[in-house]
Amino acid sequence: MPASHAQQLSAVAREVEDFVATAGWDQPPQLFALVPTAELVEREPDLAGQVDQAAPLTPVAQDALPSEDLGDALAGIMWPDAVAGCALAQEIVVLPPTAEAALPPGEDTGDSATMRRIAAEHPHRREARLVAAVLRDGTAACVLRLRGEGTGDGEGDGDGDQIVEHPELAPNLTDALLETLR
């Protein structure tokens, strides 16, 4: 996995997060095709003035996902060969590491509805936006924006927001995205 691919993909993941952040919080999951910029401009010359032609990849927003269940929606997606990768932006709730230890004994933690309820009610929860991006060669990048404490203004870049980047922030999600490319 060449470092240049990882760096390029990280830049695209940040670009996607910045784009989604302009609409503020409380957004549905958004899917993006990652296409080689030169090929995109060659096929669609009218876009030449709208894309950064120096960027190797351009994210292209897709229609709304066809299902409320993200796993089901991703399982039904197959990208054409012209798509070099894809990215998904979704809002999540992040809990501190101590939250799992505080779960009630016997709680069915395998039930996703139960886990969502517990996360939503946890007093130390943090809202976040996760962008996971992958390329066909298996390169992955993730960007997580933790919503700042007390930034109720709806803006995506509020004071106190924290950005975390690491390719392994969401391995299950990056694996699911890679499956859409196979």
Side-chain angles (χ1 to χ4, degrees):
M1 164 166 62
S4 61
H5 280 177
Q7 292 167 342
Q8 292 168 359
L9 190 58
S10 289
V12 170
R14 287 189 302 275
E15 179 182 348
V16 166
E17 201 289 320
D18 288 344
F19 172 79
V20 174
T22 62
W25 290 93
D26 302 320
Q27 301 296 312
Q30 295 177 47
L31 188 64
F32 296 81
L34 304 180
V35 296
T37 303
E39 292 175 24
L40 177 64
V41 171
E42 184 178 311
R43 276 191 299 243
E44 301 286 338
D46 293 345
L47 295 177
Q50 299 174 33
V51 299
D52 178 359
Q53 293 190 44
L57 294 170
T58 296
V60 178
Q62 302 299 294
D63 291 335
L65 291 168
S67 169
E68 288 290 320
D69 182 272
L70 187 56
D72 289 346
L74 292 177
I77 295 172
M78 292 176 51
W79 296 102
D81 291 340
V83 172
C86 60
L88 178 84
Q90 72 173 42
E91 292 183 11
I92 62 174
V93 174
V94 178
L95 296 177
T98 57
E100 187 173 331
L103 290 175
E107 187 71 48
D108 179 10
T109 58
D111 176 13
S112 61
T114 299
M115 290 305 293
R116 281 193 297 274
R117 180 185 52 77
I118 290 170
E121 294 171 356
H122 196 280
H124 297 110
R125 70 187 176 279
R126 298 266 317 262
E127 293 178 3
R129 180 181 303 110
L130 173 67
V131 174
V134 297
L135 296 177
R136 287 188 185 273
D137 68 4
T139 303
C142 295
V143 175
L144 180 74
R145 178 186 296 268
L146 290 162
R147 190 172 188 174
E149 305 281 335
T151 57
D153 60 7
E155 294 299 316
D157 59 354
D159 292 335
D161 284 2
Q162 298 172 344
I163 304 292
V164 178
E165 290 187 51
H166 195 282
E168 296 179 18
L169 282 176
N172 291 342
L173 180 55
T174 55
D175 287 348
L177 290 172
L178 279 169
E179 285 301 315
T180 69
L181 296 164
R182 294 189 171 120

